[in-house]
Amino acid sequence: MLMPSAELQREIPFIGPAASRRTVRQMLPPLIEYSYELVEQAVAERVRGDREEEEYRRLRQGAEAAEDPAERTAARRNVDRAWFTRLGLDQPIALALAEVALSRSRVPRVVLAPAWTEKDEGAALLLVPPQEASFEKPERSILMLLRPERFHPGANLLVFLETELRRVATMIPKESAVSEPVVDGPKKRSLNPAVVGRFLARWR
């Protein structure tokens, strides 16, 4: 399940009636979504051994106390999402997108999901045929796979994100006319097709 970045829930600033929809899209950053699995794992990894870990564990245990399974799941996810924002774990990708200057007109959506190994980490450009595109599945998206360990303060997450986004930005076509969804990247570095395929199967 994907969750939108809290930053994207803010109201779009008023820029005047003469502004076109394209102008607005050029001013806005891409929509940022996180898989819940990455949120949960990143928070758990970040607080491990920290002075805030006890408080986090206590809140998680409280969420597990709900009798209804659906309520229990929702409460657990609310705790993790709140802590993800509280710990500032949503900031690096927003900063990296601003640094690389990727706008919503070029890439409507960036999705972050967990990677199982270091070799699985990285960014991929996902292209969907125009006739199959929708708001939930735009023609161009960036999939970023990260290990939870990347969210440690000393793991240089921001540098890693900027490097990967710059690499993928060079691959974004001016005209997107493709017949099949593809995962592309420089020959010297690409994501494991099996890993990306598993994510795409859930995303479709």
Side-chain angles (χ1 to χ4, degrees):
M1 179 177 180
L2 300 176
M3 58 172 284
S5 166
E7 282 200 11
L8 301 175
Q9 298 175 12
R10 298 175 182 173
E11 184 178 355
I12 298 173
F14 178 73
I15 56 176
S20 66
R21 180 176 298 181
R22 180 173 179 81
T23 300
V24 173
R25 287 169 60 85
Q26 289 173 338
M27 294 175 60
L28 294 173
L31 294 171
I32 305 171
E33 295 184 356
Y34 304 89
S35 72
Y36 171 69
E37 291 80 2
L38 179 61
V39 170
E40 180 183 38
Q41 295 170 21
V43 171
E45 190 70 31
R46 180 65 178 80
V47 301
R48 183 174 291 118
D50 192 84
R51 57 185 176 82
E52 296 181 303
E53 182 177 13
E54 183 178 348
E55 179 185 358
Y56 168 71
R57 298 299 178 190
R58 185 171 63 253
L59 291 172
R60 281 274 301 197
Q61 290 175 0
E64 296 292 345
E67 295 184 3
D68 182 74
E71 291 182 3
R72 187 164 56 248
T73 298
R76 184 171 61 245
R77 292 186 173 188
N78 286 338
V79 170
D80 288 324
R81 289 167 177 169
W83 275 73
F84 192 80
T85 303
R86 169 176 170 172
L87 296 169
L89 303 183
D90 59 336
Q91 294 302 308
I93 185 62
L95 293 173
L97 286 168
E99 183 66 26
V100 179
L102 276 175
S103 66
R104 195 173 303 180
S105 62
R106 294 187 66 197
V107 181
R109 184 161 299 190
V110 176
V111 178
L112 292 90
W116 287 285
T117 68
E118 186 174 1
K119 291 183 179 180
D120 295 330
E121 283 189 302
L125 178 64
L126 308 180
L127 302 179
V128 172
Q131 66 273 18
E132 298 180 11
S134 63
F135 177 80
E136 292 78 14
K137 190 171 61 175
E139 290 184 40
R140 291 190 296 273
S141 297
I142 292 177
L143 171 63
M144 181 75 72
L145 299 180
L146 299 170
R147 290 176 300 141
E149 293 85 349
R150 281 284 179 187
F151 289 86
H152 279 303
N156 296 320
L157 175 58
L158 180 59
V159 174
F160 180 82
L161 290 172
E162 288 183 7
T163 300
E164 287 297 297
L165 288 174
R166 291 186 193 281
R167 179 178 62 82
V168 173
T170 64
M171 301 160 5
I172 298 176
K174 294 181 180 179
E175 299 292 337
S176 56
V178 294
S179 56
E180 295 292 337
V182 300
V183 176
D184 202 359
K187 294 182 179 179
K188 64 179 181 180
R189 177 177 171 81
S190 60
L191 300 185
N192 185 331
V195 174
V196 177
R198 283 195 293 271
F199 179 84
L200 285 175
R202 299 175 53 191
W203 186 54
R204 289 172 181 164

